[in-house]
Amino acid sequence: MKKIFTFLMMTGMAAVAWATDYVEPIVVSVNGVSSEQTGQITVVEAGSVYTLTLKNFVLSSPDGPMGVGNVELTDIKGYNDGDVVLLQTKQTIRITEGDDPNIPFWMASMLPPVPVELRGKIENGHLRCYIDINMESMQQVIQVAVGSGYQLRNQGFEDWHTSSGSYVEPNGWHSFESATGGWAGYAGHHISKSDDAHSGDASARIFSTKVLWAIANGTMTTGRMNAGSTTAADKANHAYLDTSSEDKDGNGDPFYTPLYGRPDSIAFWVKFKQAKANASHPYATMSAIITDGTRYQDPEDKSYNNVVARAKNNTIAVTNGNWVRVAAPFAYTGSNLEPKAILVTLSTNADPGQGAGGDELLVDDGALIYDAALSSLSVKGQSVPNFKKDVTSYTMTINEEITADDIEAVTTSPSAHVMKEVSIEGEAYLCTVTVFGGDMEKVTVYTINVQSTATGIQTLTKPAEGKAVYFTLDGRRAATLKAGQIYLHRQADGTVSKVLR
């Protein structure tokens, strides 16, 4: 990430614009099929107004990269949710041609204006956002997810690399082909690419084999496998992560997945079959551990104090040839540790060395889930009548003036973000509460139509001592003030004056 400081002069007054270039991994989904690439996103801040540009955007295709162009969104008003800056806008824009010399042709000149929707955040120096581009002329809906540290890599298992010899592993994932440990050379082959996919063109196939006299479960992890013993249940056989390690896999990536978010659950789509039914050991398994990035192994060989949260589903049953969604909630330890990495592991059996050779687990479309819902909602201390988290529209009556600060919204997820806005619609206040999931993918909008007689300057009671109350020139309460606009300021003693923001 590179910061550039730019000074702009406008109408004789100096304003400072802060520009930040983010070179980030981006996941591009076209009609639900995803691919990974790296992109440059520039964010310019001038006061509380932002401009975001996705530069030299390209689409992947079998014939090579297809140049789209520069996607620029302007006049985005930032909203502060604690230390997090939320960005949201819907615009119809013209995409402009890029300047990457490696792209011979840009589609921008052929495209009509396109609707674009942005939702994102800047948190602790990290940019996370979703850009939805509706290419109606191409009958494509393109979603661009920007920024690492909130989701699993290669969620659709479309991208693969050579790990050793002719063996391959999914990008961001590893099996025994790249294992460490004294018995790594005897661990065998346990992963392959499958064209039986829940979506897209590929899934990951992990399978068990018989090695010497033991069954070696098919296992896949975001960390690295260690084969340290010929005894299957020995904890010298494990998956592990350590962000201090400089080792790289066959794709040049580290053997860990960074994570800055606090997801609520994890889910995958799977197909599971046993070569021979085993009533005593019938299940496959999935586990996920969020840590502070220091070394951790699964299964644990000791008590670890670097764990932020755990999730586990060790009852993945045979799916009878169907794709089935499996999930597990995260249980947070209550520590004050900051998330830095996640270790996800899937295996053909919940018990080491059990099952039979030829057991098979197909895995596709993994995701960390961040909830975007409210558990309670109130205005002026009054609970919204009959509130339910999955009902988003309400009406109530409060004969007092209402500002965004009068809305109390409690999220179901501690990592969710809330944007609160109030406007006046006729004789009612329209309260809008927008809830964003912690990774900005999910959005839920709650609206409360508050019937009130206190929507105009003449009907409002005198403000509290020292409190500034502002109105538009037509006498409507102004919940937020815009630069360059004239407002009426009603002071505590009842006097009214005009002010320029």
Side-chain angles (χ1 to χ4, degrees), residues 264-334:
D264 298 290
S265 60
I266 184 171
F268 288 89
W269 286 87
V270 301
K271 275 188 180 183
F272 177 48
K273 68 178 182 180
Q274 288 190 308
K276 182 179 180 181
N278 189 326
S280 299
H281 306 278
Y283 301 122
T285 186
M286 166 188 72
S287 69
I289 299 92
I290 302 172
T291 78
D292 66 357
T294 56
R295 193 187 188 285
Y296 176 87
Q297 74 170 58
D298 181 19
E300 295 180 355
D301 59 339
K302 63 179 183 179
S303 178
Y304 284 84
N305 59 6
N306 60 348
V307 175
V308 178
R310 295 181 175 90
K312 189 161 190 172
N313 183 338
N314 59 2
T315 57
I316 300 173
V318 170
T319 63
N320 299 315
N322 300 312
W323 282 101
V324 175
R325 184 179 185 271
V326 296
F330 279 100
Y332 282 81
T333 62

Side-chain angles (χ1 to χ4, degrees), residues 163-164 169 173-180 184 223-225 249 255:
S163 57
S164 62
E169 294 178 322
W173 298 83
H174 311 97
S175 188
F176 288 103
E177 285 72 4
S178 55
T180 57
R224 194 172 195 178
M225 297 303 301
D249 65 16
F255 287 91

Side-chain angles (χ1 to χ4, degrees), residues 7-8 20 62 78 86 104 140 168 213 226 228 250 256 286 314 353 360 363 368 402 425 429 489 492:
F7 294 89
L8 304 177
T20 305
L86 302 177
Q140 290 181 336
V168 295
W213 55 85
N226 187 83
Y256 58 84
M286 166 188 72
N314 59 2
E360 178 182 278
V363 185
L368 300 175
I402 297 170
E425 303 288 340
Y429 288 102
H489 176 203

Side-chain angles (χ1 to χ4, degrees), residues 404-427:
D405 291 338
D406 296 320
I407 302 172
E408 183 178 359
V410 180
T411 61
T412 58
S413 168
S415 69
H417 304 289
V418 173
M419 180 186 295
K420 300 180 292 186
E421 300 172 293
V422 175
S423 61
I424 295 175
E425 303 288 340
E427 295 301 317

